[in-house]
């Protein structure tokens, strides 16, 4: 649970910059704890918290009900953790794919490779 008071959140949603700065400071420890449990790595947790705080900074004025503040913010962190995990998984699977396809590339006949090299040199 985020330890921010309702008056602080309300002031931030009205555009009070001091309240917003305080809100960012107050929310950070709780978001970090949540992100460490939700993300696959410490780096992802840090990134997710920073992205959530950035979203809070940019969009706190659009928050319709103060009661949904904590749910909204934790959902941002959770979504970012998942997005970062998916991005990392795709990158790893592409690396695996490249390793598996390398031997197949070496199986191309030498004369065909030589023709391809000559053709590429003519293009350059």
């Amino acid at each position: 649970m985020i330890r921010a008071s309702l008056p602080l959140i309300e002031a931030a949603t009205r555009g009070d910059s001091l309240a917003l700065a305080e809100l960012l400071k107050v929310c950070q420890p709780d978001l970090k704890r949540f992100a460490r449990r939700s993300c696959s790595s410490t780096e992802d947790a840090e990134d997710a918290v920073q992205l959530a705080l950035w979203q809070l900074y940019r969009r706190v004025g659009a928050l319709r009900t103060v009661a949904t503040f904590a749910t909204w913010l934790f959902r941002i962190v959770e979504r970012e953790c998942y997005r970062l995990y998916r991005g990392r998984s795709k990158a790893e699977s592409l690396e695996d794919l490249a390793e598996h396809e390398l031997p197949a590339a070496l199986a191309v006949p030498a004369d065909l490779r030589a023709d391809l090299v000559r053709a590429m040199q003519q293009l350059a």
Side-chain angles (χ1 to χ4, degrees):
M1 184 66 178
I2 294 181
R3 297 182 183 113
S5 66
L6 290 178
L8 180 63
I9 297 168
E10 289 171 349
T13 59
R14 287 191 307 268
D16 182 339
S17 59
L18 292 176
L20 180 57
E22 182 64 21
L23 188 59
L24 291 169
K25 188 172 122 184
V26 168
C27 291
Q28 192 168 5
D30 296 323
L31 292 176
K32 282 185 176 184
R33 251 187 316 284
F34 178 75
R36 281 190 211 113
R37 289 182 304 212
S38 301
C39 290
S40 61
S41 70
T42 304
E43 294 83 20
D44 285 354
E46 291 293 326
D47 290 346
V49 169
Q50 291 304 312
L51 289 164
L53 292 173
W54 175 244
Q55 288 294 325
L56 170 60
Y57 175 79
R58 287 184 49 229
R59 296 183 152 181
V60 71
L63 191 63
R64 292 188 184 127
T65 12
V66 176
T68 62
F69 174 76
T71 304
W72 173 68
L73 204 49
F74 283 127
R75 182 69 181 123
I76 292 171
V77 172
E78 185 178 50
R79 191 173 50 244
E80 288 303 323
C81 286
Y82 180 68
R83 186 185 64 77
L84 291 165
Y85 172 76
R86 249 191 9 225
R88 200 170 307 287
S89 295
K90 285 181 184 176
E92 289 170 0
S93 66
L94 287 176
E95 289 171 5
D96 291 344
L97 180 64
E99 288 175 10
H100 292 298
E101 289 189 8
L102 187 59
L106 295 176
V108 175
D111 59 331
L112 180 56
R113 279 188 298 200
D115 289 343
L116 287 171
V117 168
R118 270 188 250 116
M120 288 189 292
Q121 287 173 341
Q122 288 177 354
L123 291 173

